[in-house]
Structure formats: C-alpha cells, structure tokens
Amino acid sequence: AILSLTLFSFNRKTMSLKSERRGIHVDQSELLCKKGCGYYGNPAWQGFCSKCWREEYHKARQKQIQEDWELAERLQREEEEAYASSQSTQGAQSLTFSKFEEKKTNEKTRKVTTVKKFFTASSRAGAKKAEIQEAKAPSPSINRQASIETDRVSKEFIEFLKTYHKPGQDIYKQCKLFLDTMNHKRDLSIEEQSECAQDFYQNMTEKLQTRWKAPPEKVEKAMDQIEKYIMTRQYKYVFCPETTDDEKKDLAVQKRIRALHWVTPQMLCVPVNEEIPEVSDMVVKAITDIIEMDSKRVPRDKLACITKCSKHIFNAIKITKNEPASADDFLPTLIYIVLKGNPPRLQSNIQYITRFCNPSRLMTGEDGYYFTNLCCAVAFIEKLDAQSLNLSQEDFDRFMTGQTSPKKQESDSWSPDVCLGVKQMYKNLDLLSQLNERQDRIVSEAKKLEKDLIDWTDGVAKEVQDIVEKYPLEIKPKNQALAAIDSENVENDKLPPPLQPQVYAG
C-alpha cells in the first residue's frame, strides 16, 4: 500500500478576516514549506515542498514495505506449520500436498518478483529494459497515429537536441525509453506514475549537471523541452484518469462556484474598480487566461496561464489604487477571478500540474508562488462561510439557496458616464427583489394563519372531547303510566298475589 495523497486542509488562521478591513489576509510565510526549507509548499503535498514531500513519501513507503514483509513472513510461517500438521496426519495424500507445496512456492516467487519489480528505482536503465522485454505488447490504441500537435512537438524537440550534439542523442534515447516504460505501466495508480515521472526529471537533471556539465540556464531549457515532449505524449493517459476521483472533485468545485455567484467584490474587499475601462479589460484577460489553462497539455504551459492571469490581476490592482499591489490585495482578487470565471476542470488541472510538472518550477520562482496562491484560493472557496464574508448565517443561507440576492448598487452612486440601460436594469432588479421579499412575507404569513386555524380547530375539538368524557350523557327510558284499579291488568304490574283464607282449629 502506498501513502495516498490527500487534499491539504487549509488552516483557518491562514485565511483570517482582519477586523479593521474585513479583508482576506494570508501570511506569506505560511505559503512556504512547513518543514522550513525555504521552498514553496503545495496543498497536494500536505504543505511540504516537492523535495521534502518525496523524503516523507519514501520514508512512509519504506515503512509500509517493511510492515508488508513482516506480515508476509508471519503468514508464511503459519502456512508452513499448518501444512506440516496436515502432512503428518494425512500421509496418504502426500502427492496432493506436494502439488500444493509447488503451487505455494510458485505463488511466493511470483509475489516476491512483483514486489521487487514494483519498488525498483525507475532510474535504472537495465531494469527498465528488462521490464520492457517481459511486458506485453502495447494495445493498438497506444500505437495509433500521433496527432498534429504531437508531431510538431516531436520535431521541435529533435531540432532543439541538435544543439546539444552527443548529449542530445542520449537525452532522446532516455526520453524514448521512459515513454516506452510508461506505456507498459498503465495498470499502476496515478500516484505511482507520478513518482516515475518525478524520478525521471530528477535523474535527467543530475545527468545534465554532472555527466554533461551543462550550465544552469541550459539545464532549465533542456528540462522544459523534455517535459513538453514527454507530457504531450502522456497527456491523454494521465490527465483526469478514470481511476481517480478528479472528475468528481471538478464537479463539486464547479457546483460550489455556481452557488456562490452572488458574491460581490465588496464582500471580498477586492481593490479593483471594474468601472475603469482599462481595469475591466484586465479582469477579462485574467479570466480568459485562467480558463485557457484547460486547453494546454504541458504542465509548464498551464503554469504560464496562471502566471499571466496573476500579472493581469496585479496590473488591475495597480491601476485602481495608483500604487503597487500587495499580497493581501492579490489573493482576494484571485478568489474573485476564480468565482467569476469558474474555470473548467479546475481540480484536475491542479492535480495534473502537481503530479507531472518539473518540481523545481513549483518550489521556487513566480510560477510556484502564483500556483500556491491558486491552490489557497480554491481551498478558501471550498470552505467559504458566512464569517468569511462578514455576513449573518441567515443571510448567507438565503443567498446560497437563491431565496434572495445582495442589494445592488444604488443608482445615485453611479458614475454619470454609466449607460442608462444599465441603471434601469438594476432598478428593475431591485424592484423584483423587493417584490420577491414581499411575496415571501405574504406566503409566510399565510402559512402562519393556516397553522393558527388548524391549531384553533384542534383545540376546540379537544375541549369538547374533554367535556364529553367528564360529563357523559345518559338517556333513561320513559316511565310507564300506572294502571287504573278497575282496569284489566293485562300486563302484570308485579302486584303481590291475593291473600288465601286460612283455617284455624278451635
């Protein structure tokens, strides 16, 4: 079992509301690796940077391997003891048990080979070649004709490697070997495939620096081209794979953002005035860039979209405030852009960048800084509540359920240059909002009246029932009239029998 990647639980104090300005404040030190190495952390790495996360990951994996081996040895001993006991009592079935022993040995050998093969370092070329020879031939879908973009990227990669002469040939061979190996590892989990890619990046960087003595700028350019080449070919297999819940998370975030459509810039304290045409244009460009991220295949290109979006945000803030933007201004505005743009497959793109981007880009530099802020913005949106927006819980629930919407800007505060149609539209929206509130009150009062009538009817019925039970009504039969003395006593009125004469002896 491999330690699973879990979403980073963004600490509440990381995004605390400042009482004096109701803004979203993030201490920039909390964006760094929580181990204190100085690199940027990542939510998917539980707040660690790529380097520290891999160290923790390998420690956990080695611990799990040791526990698995101990469990396997214990089960093996129990199985051997059970087998020996059965053999002593059933000597006649020795042939059957010998077959069982052979089957058991083969199964044990297969498991050991599988475990060794699974945990063999991907940097060993000999192990890769042996695995390629033993693996089955790839499916026809993998060998289908490459797309136009893939062909273009391949040609560009080959042309780029020509400038490296002899090292370029070795780089190309290593990349081809890696792609062939990955084609035979489709059954591995996406985390394991990510681990293979990260190992490959690390090994290639070390070879460029030590074996081929390339300067830092050439190493960076080479790694960018290597990432572009291999991930363009691997994109359709490793982006939002069916074996993960990335698509489910995408739908959850998209639904959440749609439910928060009512959030205004004022609620987030966004220092951007969209009434300024230049600022409005910057906002549109930022939204376009964050949406365009989904159309890219290479992690570096997706990061470039995030960086361009962030720079447009900084420009919009600078134009609005007439001064350079601060980090406290940037994050609320980024949250607003994400809410307004609702980028497609947002979680899948974040996970893809985290798993397959060259880790050096996420650990340092502006790309790493902007990407970390985007992860923070998504985490904030997922946990956004009434307190975050300085709203009462009642108003927040009403806005979330769509019962009402925040009041729009009053027409008196509009700029004289604003279109009359826009003013009239907001007036109509305010009127509809007021009518909606009145209708809600009428419905509420009608339901209350209906409940009162039902309660009154039930109360009266209960009182009547109590009185009837306390004073039950008894109906007695009508008394019959006494018969006259001289009348025929047809119906015996229960008179005593007549006196009989008695004889007395004298």
Side-chain angles (χ1 to χ4, degrees):
I2 299 297
L3 181 66
S4 61
L5 294 176
T6 57
L7 284 177
F8 174 61
S9 178
F10 201 78
N11 197 312
R12 184 71 179 177
K13 70 177 181 178
T14 303
M15 291 182 177
S16 60
L17 291 175
K18 297 177 70 177
S19 57
E20 63 271 13
R21 65 184 293 269
R22 296 197 319 161
I24 301 168
H25 171 70
V26 177
D27 188 352
Q28 297 304 299
S29 63
E30 297 185 5
L31 298 178
L32 301 177
C33 175
K34 65 181 184 181
K35 202 170 182 179
C37 64
Y39 296 119
Y40 289 120
N42 191 294
W45 296 328
Q46 300 180 358
F48 293 103
C49 68
S50 175
K51 180 181 178 182
C52 297
W53 167 249
R54 285 169 64 82
E55 293 176 357
E56 297 294 327
Y57 181 84
H58 283 298
K59 288 180 182 178
R61 189 172 69 173
Q62 292 300 326
K63 181 180 179 181
Q64 186 65 45
I65 293 173
Q66 182 64 28
E67 293 177 355
D68 290 345
W69 274 112
E70 292 175 357
L71 177 61
E73 291 176 356
R74 181 172 62 83
L75 293 177
Q76 178 68 18
R77 287 195 301 269
E78 294 177 356
E79 185 179 354
E80 290 176 353
E81 293 173 359
Y83 170 69
S85 176
S86 301
Q87 188 177 27
S88 61
T89 57
Q90 300 180 4
Q93 299 180 0
S94 60
L95 180 60
T96 304
F97 276 97
S98 64
K99 292 182 178 179
F100 170 77
E101 180 68 17
E102 181 182 357
K103 181 178 180 181
K104 179 192 66 175
T105 304
N106 293 337
E107 182 68 15
K108 179 181 177 181
T109 304
R110 186 186 66 81
K111 291 181 178 179
V112 172
T113 303
T114 302
V115 172
K116 289 182 178 179
K117 179 180 177 181
F118 179 79
F119 291 109
T120 300
S122 60
S123 60
R124 298 179 182 177
K128 289 183 178 180
K129 293 180 180 179
E131 184 178 357
I132 294 172
Q133 293 174 356
E134 295 175 1
K136 297 180 181 179
S139 61
S141 60
I142 298 177
N143 291 329
R144 66 178 179 267
Q145 185 178 5
S147 64
I148 298 176
E149 182 179 359
T150 303
D151 292 338
R152 178 181 57 81
V153 171
S154 299
K155 292 178 181 179
E156 291 177 356
F157 185 59
I158 294 173
E159 291 296 325
F160 171 79
L161 293 179
K162 289 180 179 179
T163 60
Y164 282 71
H165 305 294
K166 183 62 167 62
Q169 298 177 4
D170 294 337
I171 293 173
Y172 185 76
K173 290 180 180 179
Q174 292 294 328
C175 291
K176 292 292 292 184
L177 181 61
F178 172 76
L179 291 174
D180 292 339
T181 303
M182 292 298 293
N183 285 338
H184 298 287
K185 289 187 177 182
R186 302 295 177 212
D187 55 334
L188 297 182
S189 67
I190 193 64
E191 286 78 17
E192 294 161 354
Q193 295 184 53
S194 171
E195 183 73 7
C196 293
Q198 297 298 326
D199 286 339
F200 178 72
Y201 289 145
Q202 182 177 356
N203 294 332
M204 293 303 299
T205 301
E206 292 176 355
K207 288 181 179 179
L208 286 168
Q209 292 174 343
T210 59
R211 181 184 300 181
W212 298 311
K213 307 297 182 181
E217 60 274 7
K218 294 195 70 174
V219 172
E220 183 178 355
K221 291 181 180 179
M223 290 307 301
D224 288 344
Q225 292 297 324
I226 290 172
E227 176 189 325
K228 182 177 182 180
Y229 175 69
I230 64 174
M231 295 315 303
T232 300
R233 291 177 172 273
Q234 293 293 309
Y235 177 80
K236 56 188 175 184
Y237 304 112
V238 297
F239 181 84
C240 191
E242 296 180 355
T243 55
T244 65
D245 58 351
D246 291 351
E247 184 177 3
K248 182 179 179 181
K249 293 177 182 177
D250 289 335
L251 296 175
V253 171
Q254 191 176 57
K255 183 178 179 181
R256 175 71 171 172
I257 293 177
R258 286 177 178 174
L260 293 170
H261 67 90
W262 48 269
V263 176
T264 63
Q266 291 75 23
M267 293 179 180
L268 296 171
C269 289
V270 175
V272 169
N273 185 5
E274 295 186 65
E275 296 179 10
I276 303 175
E278 191 174 358
V279 173
S280 178
D281 184 56
M282 290 293 176
V283 171
V284 172
K285 289 181 179 179
I287 294 175
T288 303
D289 289 332
I290 198 69
I291 292 177
E292 188 181 1
M293 174 179 62
D294 187 58
S295 65
K296 305 298 182 181
R297 289 192 174 190
V298 184
R300 181 171 61 90
D301 294 341
K302 292 181 180 292
L303 274 179
C305 292
I306 299 174
T307 300
K308 288 192 296 182
C309 169
S310 301
K311 289 183 176 180
H312 288 313
I313 290 174
F314 273 105
N315 290 334
I317 298 173
K318 182 178 180 181
I319 295 173
T320 301
K321 300 180 64 175
N322 290 324
E323 61 182 18
S326 64
D328 288 343
D329 294 331
F330 170 66
L331 183 57
T333 311
L334 179 61
I335 294 171
Y336 173 67
I337 293 297
V338 173
L339 289 175
K340 194 169 183 179
N342 196 359
R345 299 192 291 185
L346 183 56
Q347 282 288 5
S348 290
N349 282 286
I350 290 177
Q351 291 296 326
Y352 176 70
I353 294 172
T354 301
R355 292 165 181 159
F356 297 101
C357 183
N358 187 353
S360 61
R361 285 193 168 274
L362 301 182
M363 294 166 60
T364 57
E366 61 180 8
D367 288 342
Y369 173 77
Y370 295 139
F371 179 71
T372 303
N373 275 273
L374 177 62
C375 295
C376 294
V378 175
F380 178 83
I381 291 172
E382 292 175 339
K383 300 178 182 299
L384 188 143
D385 54 13
Q387 184 180 0
S388 304
L389 301 175
N390 199 26
L391 296 174
S392 65
Q393 188 63 42
E394 180 182 1
D395 289 342
F396 182 81
D397 294 338
R398 291 175 65 190
F399 295 156
M400 288 295 292
T401 56
Q403 296 179 3
T404 185
S405 59
K407 291 184 178 181
K408 303 298 181 181
Q409 188 175 7
E410 298 296 335
S411 58
D412 295 339
S413 61
W414 285 91
S415 171
D417 299 332
V418 176
C419 177
L420 295 177
V422 175
K423 291 183 180 180
Q424 186 62 41
M425 178 185 68
Y426 279 108
K427 287 182 180 179
N428 294 339
L429 289 174
D430 291 337
L431 179 60
L432 289 174
S433 179
Q434 295 173 9
L435 292 175
N436 189 28
E437 292 177 358
R438 290 178 58 185
Q439 183 181 6
D440 291 341
R441 288 196 299 269
I442 292 173
V443 172
S444 177
E445 293 295 332
K447 290 181 178 180
K448 182 180 179 182
L449 177 60
E450 181 183 11
K451 184 178 182 300
D452 292 341
L453 289 174
I454 294 174
D455 293 342
W456 178 79
T457 304
D458 294 341
V460 172
K462 187 176 184 303
E463 290 180 2
V464 172
Q465 184 65 26
D466 293 342
I467 294 174
V468 170
E469 291 177 356
K470 187 174 181 181
Y471 305 102
L473 179 63
E474 297 181 0
I475 301 177
K476 298 180 178 180
K478 185 178 180 181
N479 295 331
Q480 297 180 357
L482 298 176
I485 297 177
D486 57 349
S487 64
E488 295 279 343
N489 189 9
V490 179
E491 298 179 2
N492 187 6
D493 56 353
K494 298 182 180 181
L495 293 175
L499 297 175
Q500 299 293 331
Q502 303 290 329
V503 179
Y504 292 93

